[in-house]
Amino acid sequence: MKTSRILSYILLLAGVALIIISFLYFGRNAEPDARTLNIIVTCIIFLLITSDILFPWINLKDKPQRTIGGLGIRWLSISFYVILAVAAMLVMNVFKNFELKTQILVHVILLIGLFGSLVQVFIISDKTTEVFKEEQLHRNKLVQMKRSVKDIQLKLEKLGSVPQYITTALEDLQEDIRTISPANTAEAFELEDKFLDELTAVDGLLFKTNIDYEILKLKVEACSRTLRDRKQVYSV
């Protein structure tokens, strides 16, 4: 275990111990059961506030950064709970004396509300991961498109005596792919798959002994048209 983690645990335990000692000393005239309840609630508040400081919730090695997606709601939920829990303790113990059962009920309700909010945080975090995976899938498809065009360019370079209009058209394809933004629509998927199929057809012509460059030109132009259509598709 790292030294920083050990120190964090020590600080947490020291904080909890200080809370207990403070309640026992300053609240020695309070009703024992109510005092115990307030100690528990105060310790929960302390752990909620300090946990992110001592044990950072954000993991920089996590590429999807799933925790960032729900960070705002998490802290908002904790802040609301802390404010309401502190207010409840003051009202029910300082300004008025409520029955222990009533105090327990109020704090249980507040905890249920907190846990409900935290569940939403995890749902949002999972959604963030799903969005990241979808974006990665879309980017990988664009990378595959670019790589396929590059493979064809390399094969043509080895052949030599390739018409300039063919090499120019392939360079234009590469440039067009760079300007395409990932999209998560069915139309984008279909056009990307169509483009890859058309590139496969282009690649198939290169294995022939006598390459018909006119047919090759038509195939490359088909790829270009598909790519132009894909450039017009954006995420919804």
Side-chain angles (χ1 to χ4, degrees):
M1 186 177 294
K2 295 181 180 179
T3 303
S4 59
R5 183 59 61 90
I6 295 175
L7 291 175
S8 297
Y9 282 121
I10 292 174
L11 288 173
L12 280 179
L13 292 174
V16 171
L18 184 61
I19 290 171
I20 295 173
I21 292 171
S22 298
F23 269 97
L24 292 177
Y25 181 77
F26 294 104
R28 55 183 175 271
N29 295 325
E31 199 275 320
D33 291 336
R35 182 177 59 196
T36 301
L37 176 62
N38 291 330
I39 290 175
I40 294 172
V41 173
T42 305
C43 287
I44 291 174
I45 292 173
F46 172 74
L47 293 174
L48 286 172
I49 293 175
T50 58
S51 60
D52 278 350
I53 299 174
L54 299 176
F55 307 104
W57 204 46
I58 297 176
N59 182 8
L60 297 178
K61 295 181 180 180
D62 181 27
K63 291 184 179 181
Q65 288 298 324
R66 62 191 302 270
T67 54
I68 292 179
L71 192 60
I73 296 178
R74 183 171 184 261
W75 268 108
L76 185 63
S77 302
I78 291 175
S79 299
F80 269 116
Y81 170 77
V82 170
I83 293 171
L84 293 176
V86 171
M89 285 190 292
L90 290 174
V91 169
M92 294 187 295
N93 293 275
V94 178
F95 301 110
K96 292 183 180 180
N97 290 321
F98 282 72
E99 292 183 358
L100 180 63
K101 292 181 179 179
T102 303
Q103 294 188 44
I104 293 175
L105 179 61
V106 170
H107 286 297
V108 168
I109 291 173
L110 291 178
L111 282 174
I112 290 174
L114 173 64
F115 290 144
S117 299
L118 293 180
V119 168
Q120 293 300 314
V121 170
F122 286 112
I123 292 174
I124 293 173
S125 297
D126 290 339
K127 183 63 177 178
T128 302
T129 303
E130 291 178 8
V131 171
F132 173 80
K133 290 181 179 179
E134 288 180 2
E135 289 179 350
Q136 285 296 105
L137 178 62
H138 305 155
R139 291 183 185 279
N140 289 340
K141 182 64 72 68
L142 294 178
V143 170
Q144 183 182 356
M145 292 164 60
K146 186 185 297 185
R147 186 181 296 116
S148 297
V149 175
K150 186 64 177 177
D151 289 342
I152 292 173
Q153 288 177 306
L154 293 174
K155 290 178 181 178
L156 287 174
E157 288 178 4
K158 293 179 179 179
L159 291 175
S161 301
V162 179
Q164 182 63 37
Y165 59 82
I166 297 293
T167 57
T168 301
L170 290 172
E171 290 172 358
D172 291 340
L173 288 181
Q174 284 283 22
E175 187 61 32
D176 287 339
I177 294 173
R178 293 191 187 97
T179 62
I180 292 178
S181 299
N184 59 351
T185 64
E187 183 180 2
F189 296 152
E190 291 176 2
L191 289 171
E192 289 167 1
D193 288 336
K194 181 181 178 183
F195 178 79
L196 289 172
D197 290 340
E198 289 170 342
L199 281 181
T200 300
V202 172
D203 187 67
L205 294 175
L206 304 182
F207 290 97
K208 294 184 178 181
T209 305
N210 296 318
I211 299 176
D212 190 331
Y213 286 106
E214 288 302 318
I215 294 179
L216 184 61
K217 176 185 176 182
L218 294 175
K219 296 291 185 181
V220 174
E221 288 176 346
C223 293
S224 180
R225 287 192 298 270
T226 302
L227 206 55
R228 283 198 298 269
D229 293 338
R230 171 60 183 84
K231 290 175 68 174
Q232 303 304 315
V233 179
Y234 304 94
S235 295
V236 294

